[in-house]
Amino acid sequence: RPNVDRLLAANFPPDAAPFDVIAAGDEAKRKKPAPDVFLLALAGLNVAASEAVAFEDSAAGISSARAAGLPVLATRSRYTDSHRLDGAFSAVSDLGEPDRPHRHIAGVAWPGGVVDLAGLIRWHESLDGQSTPVQAIGTSR
């Protein structure tokens, strides 16, 4: 958790609260690929796994999120560029920007090469035809 706190302090104003819940690996009983850190985040948000989506960049993270019942959108990072992204419903090089679209790797393709909240909501609604709020969950290692 100290690493997460330092990252937040370096990237957000002191009075900002950018996340409703933070779940760090050292707060979970078992490390990834166990689902504990995702289950901790879901409990803190008080949402079901079916109402959330995990963003992950590693094979262990994907396994962890899937074991918690979460669908996973996977991206690459310099540390996990060689990892397989099996199990993710969508795999992309990064989330993309309007002027710098991501590279689609597998699964769901995103219009314009950009993953955004509106697209995530459309994807989620396509699963069951119902409008359910979607929470994004990322965790620290």
Side-chain angles (χ1 to χ4, degrees):
R1 177 66 185 256
N3 289 339
V4 174
D5 291 337
R6 282 192 290 280
L7 283 169
L8 293 173
N11 290 288
F12 295 96
D15 58 342
F19 304 103
D20 293 334
V21 170
I22 297 172
D26 59 346
E27 297 169 331
K29 186 173 181 177
R30 298 175 298 164
K31 304 289 184 208
K32 294 175 183 176
D36 299 27
V37 70
F38 284 104
L39 296 173
L40 184 65
L42 288 167
L45 289 167
N46 195 31
V47 298
S50 63
E51 299 172 312
V53 61
F55 292 82
E56 266 299 337
D57 68 345
S58 70
I62 293 168
S63 293
S64 176
R66 299 272 301 157
L70 289 158
V72 180
L73 192 155
T75 62
R76 295 283 189 198
S77 76
R78 80 175 93 162
Y79 305 107
T80 62
D81 195 44
S82 64
H83 286 220
R84 294 181 58 95
L85 301 177
D86 298 342
F89 73 88
S90 180
V92 293
S93 59
D94 55 82
L95 298 180
E97 295 290 337
D99 59 339
R100 273 191 54 206
H102 63 244
R103 181 177 51 84
H104 177 257
I105 298 169
V108 171
W110 301 91
V114 177
V115 177
D116 61 10
L117 183 57
L120 285 167
I121 290 170
R122 282 191 304 276
W123 166 80
H124 193 264
E125 288 173 344
S126 74
L127 297 179
D128 60 12
Q130 298 183 15
S131 179
T132 306
V134 176
Q135 294 282 334
I137 297 179
T139 61
S140 73
R141 294 181 192 81

